[in-house]
Amino acid sequence: MGLVTQTSTWPDAGQSGPGHSAPAGPAGTAPAAAGKAASSGTPARPWVARPAEAFTDEALRARLLGSVQSWRDYPPTLRIWFLLVPLLTAAVAAILRFVRLGDPHKLVFDETYYVKDAYSYLVSGYERSWPDKANDSFNAGNPGVLLNSPEYVVHPPVGKWMIAAGMWLFGPDNPFGWRFAAALTGTLSVLLVSLIALKLFRSLPLAGAAGLLLAVDGHHLVMSRTSLLDIFLMFWVLAAFGALLMDRDDGRARLASRLARAAADHGGNPPPAALLSGPWLGVRWWRITAGVCLGLAVGTKWSGLFFVAVFGLLTVLWDMNARRVAGVRGWISGGIIKDGIPAFISTVPVAAVVYTLTWTGWFRSDNAYFRHWAEANPSPAWGWLPDAVRSLAHYHQEAYTFHQGLSSEHPYEASAWSWLVMGRPTSFFYESPQQGTPGCDVAKCTSAILSVGNPLIWWTAAVCLVVLLFWWAGRRDWRAGAVLAGVAAGYLPWFMYPERTMFYFYAVSFEPFLILALAYCLGLVLGRASDPPWRRRSGLYVVVLFVAAAIVLSAFFYPVWAAEVIPYDAWKVRMWMPSWI
């Protein structure tokens, strides 16, 4: 027989494996050839193939990327929907986020810090102090009461610069201006989730479901309608994840092309040197893009560092597995040397440079907090560093000490253990309008903003995480592992700081991955393209019913997410747990 190679009949790239519905596409949009193979019961690829067959570009791409490698592989009538479905879900998100964005017409919760800091950036490029009762002036449309002294803050600049951009466009004297960036970022994140779901699952119904579920969820909605930093952290993390998904396919396409070229140059049999560790894959631009996004995530909140670590490890594991599936013998060493080291260089230094550049306003200032600390504190050991660098390093040390020691009591603090079940959501705003005020026709009314999620979405997603854990460990589905990695990076690190004051709204950083976990399980319900029509039809009915129920429940909770004036009794009906009050 000569030299042979052995490959699994189930595509390792995460396409339709046993029991997986997602890759099948929208009610059966898998390629015709794959559908015929599935219907006839014959495997899509043989277990054993000669090198001349196994190391062609076509065969390598089939192993590494699956049967559908590009949107061009789908029927022309479906291609328009690949863009239309994500755009429609984003349109729904935009309506929910921008309508009545100016209500309430005052700073709510931690907007008192970040909105005023953003205005300070517009004026001077760094944070300045405010006088007593500055909120009253700000709410009245008179933000120009800044003091000349610098303000000590403990969060990096990116999120505040993004808020400032909205204020620059629409003015700092109105709530629409200071919340515009959050609403736009929340809307774009819904678009990203739908596109990522389409990339992961290759299913239009699942892409639409993922986008809609995030669009109507109350926790994400509240965070998109108030100018806190976490919505911006979530966006840059999600963008980095999407870039790494694109890099995964790009890297595998390069690996297939270079191995096939090496095999073709030697009569169809790849030389032993080519299979020893595999080829170098060159500059990975999508990975550099991910590094930029991760730098901006860390530049919003330092908790983005955990995503840098987890995503960096994840992308290297993807590459190592690609070399294994391609037939590279030294796939571990090759993956570490030829993928791991370039991945580190493409991600960590890039993220570090981007993060440093986000402090440009601080560097350019002459009066920012700690700006001249190094000049007043010479150091024999570190004196060779520029004073500005030493001053910034000291600033970071002080901020880290603050975060580590943050343990003051707060009425809405919530342990990380309670986040998935929404044990203690954060109240951003609460008022009791008097009878006769607009919208209040009864004796007792309420206007509230509670950052509680849609219970059907969150509680189901929590169960789905367990399902994904089994499918990742048992079926070795890389998609389940990727989604779990996103949840782990945003959630698990908080358990290392049990004494720290924490809030439920921190969970928005990994909420998109909860939605993707839910979409994954909806894909299992939907069934595979090879399933009988009645099975696919029944699964589609269940998925549609679930999404419809989530939308109806969101409509029920919407008044307490968007500060609508409702009777107190109607507000009380929506407080499903005593801990929500």
Side-chain angles (χ1 to χ4, degrees):
M1 289 181 61
L3 182 65
V4 297
T5 183
Q6 182 173 324
T7 58
S8 169
T9 55
W10 298 114
D12 186 80
Q15 277 63 44
S16 52
H20 285 272
S21 62
T29 60
K36 292 178 181 178
S39 63
S40 64
T42 59
R45 294 193 307 273
W47 276 96
V48 178
R50 296 183 181 277
E53 301 168 353
F55 287 98
T56 63
D57 187 66
E58 181 181 357
L60 283 166
R61 286 176 178 268
R63 290 209 300 277
L64 293 169
L65 293 168
S67 54
V68 178
Q69 301 163 21
S70 166
W71 64 274
R72 296 181 182 86
D73 294 328
Y74 288 92
T77 54
L78 285 173
R79 294 175 190 171
I80 186 63
W81 291 100
F82 293 160
L83 184 61
L84 191 58
V85 167
L87 286 177
L88 288 174
T89 62
V92 173
I95 293 171
L96 293 173
R97 281 149 183 79
F98 282 99
V99 172
R100 298 180 58 254
L101 183 60
D103 294 335
H105 199 286
K106 60 178 62 178
L107 297 168
V108 299
F109 197 58
D110 280 355
E111 282 186 337
T112 185
Y113 304 115
Y114 307 127
V115 169
K116 290 188 296 186
D117 285 346
Y119 176 76
S120 181
Y121 277 24
L122 283 180
V123 174
S124 56
Y126 65 95
E127 298 90 345
R128 285 162 54 181
S129 299
W130 294 81
D132 294 338
K133 298 184 179 180
N135 282 10
D136 294 337
S137 297
F138 214 98
N139 294 335
N142 180 30
V145 293
L146 270 171
L147 302 177
N148 289 325
S149 57
E151 178 74 11
Y152 175 59
V153 298
V154 294
H155 289 300
V158 171
K160 289 169 279 190
W161 275 117
M162 295 177 73
I163 297 171
M167 300 168 78
W168 178 75
L169 287 171
F170 298 100
D173 57 350
N174 65 92
F176 185 90
W178 73 60
R179 293 174 186 152
F180 172 81
L184 178 62
T185 300
T187 300
L188 292 177
S189 67
V190 170
L191 177 65
L192 275 180
V193 162
S194 188
L195 291 171
I196 288 172
L198 189 59
K199 183 73 174 174
L200 280 174
F201 310 130
R202 298 181 178 179
S203 167
L204 283 173
L206 296 183
L212 275 177
L213 291 173
L214 187 63
V216 304
D217 178 66
H219 186 237
H220 190 272
L221 178 64
V222 168
M223 298 304 295
S224 301
R225 291 174 59 91
T226 49
S227 283
L228 274 64
L229 301 182
D230 301 80
I231 192 71
F232 305 112
L233 168 65
M234 178 274 302
F235 174 79
W236 292 118
V237 164
L238 189 63
F241 183 76
L244 290 177
L245 284 178
M246 297 296 292
D247 172 74
R248 183 182 185 274
D249 281 3
D250 177 60
R252 290 183 168 228
R254 294 188 190 196
L255 180 61
S257 176
R258 298 186 185 195
L259 276 179
R261 188 161 56 245
D265 292 342
H266 291 77
N269 293 331
L275 295 181
L276 183 60
S277 61
W280 292 93
L281 301 183
V283 179
R284 307 274 286 271
W285 295 107
W286 280 112
R287 189 171 275 166
I288 292 175
T289 301
V292 172
C293 293
L294 290 171
L296 293 170
V298 179
T300 303
K301 269 193 164 184
W302 285 354
S303 51
L305 284 168
F306 297 108
F307 288 96
V308 176
V310 172
F311 285 178
L313 179 61
L314 182 67
T315 189
V316 174
L317 290 176
W318 283 348
D319 282 349
M320 291 171 63
N321 192 51
R323 292 178 184 269
R324 179 187 66 82
V325 173
V328 174
R329 295 188 178 92
W331 56 274
I332 296 179
S333 59
I336 293 174
I337 297 172
K338 295 186 175 181
D339 293 320
I341 295 175
F344 179 88
I345 296 173
S346 302
T347 305
V348 176
V350 170
V353 169
V354 170
Y355 175 80
T356 304
L357 289 175
T358 66
W359 287 86
T360 299
W362 184 90
F363 280 114
R364 290 172 57 87
S365 72
D366 191 54
N367 193 36
Y369 208 87
F370 282 138
R371 179 63 183 82
H372 297 288
W373 176 89
E375 298 169 15
N377 296 272
S379 171
W382 299 99
W384 56 274
L385 286 174
D387 287 343
V389 174
R390 281 209 306 124
S391 296
L392 185 61
H394 177 73
Y395 198 148
H396 280 63
Q397 182 181 9
E398 291 293 318
Y400 178 77
T401 301
F402 171 85
H403 285 297
Q404 287 290 92
L406 185 60
S407 58
S408 57
E409 294 186 1
H410 192 283
Y412 287 98
E413 62 181 300
S415 168
W417 292 103
S418 68
W419 292 356
L420 292 181
V421 296
M422 302 182 298
R424 184 59 170 166
T426 311
S427 176
F428 284 11
F429 172 77
Y430 184 91
E431 280 188 352
S432 299
Q434 298 297 316
Q435 186 174 10
T437 58
C440 183
D441 299 324
V442 296
K444 193 174 183 181
C445 294
T446 293
S447 176
I449 300 176
L450 184 67
S451 68
V452 65
N454 182 310
L456 180 61
I457 294 174
W458 275 77
W459 294 343
T460 306
V463 175
C464 288
L465 292 179
V466 180
V467 177
L468 261 69
L469 187 61
F470 279 100
W471 278 84
W472 172 59
R475 299 283 189 173
R476 290 182 289 181
D477 188 340
W478 71 272
R479 298 167 304 168
V483 173
L484 289 173
V487 175
Y491 187 34
L492 296 184
W494 293 104
F495 291 96
M496 297 189 298
Y497 310 101
E499 302 301 324
R500 190 189 188 279
T501 304
M502 292 178 280
F503 300 93
Y504 163 65
F505 66 81
Y506 294 171
V508 77
S509 67
F510 62 87
E511 181 176 354
F513 299 97
L514 292 178
I515 297 297
L516 292 173
L518 182 52
Y520 184 101
C521 290
L522 291 177
L524 299 179
V525 173
L526 190 62
R528 294 188 296 180
S530 58
D531 289 336
W534 67 267
R535 168 66 180 85
R536 293 282 289 174
R537 189 164 50 249
S538 300
L540 184 61
Y541 289 159
V542 173
V543 170
V544 170
L545 181 63
F546 179 88
V547 175
I551 293 173
V552 170
L553 191 57
S554 289
F556 173 74
F557 278 99
Y558 180 80
V560 299
W561 295 336
E564 287 190 349
V565 177
I566 58 175
Y568 174 81
D569 291 339
W571 170 83
K572 195 70 178 292
V573 168
R574 290 163 172 82
M575 299 298 103
W576 284 12
M577 294 186 184
S579 60
W580 291 7
I581 300 175

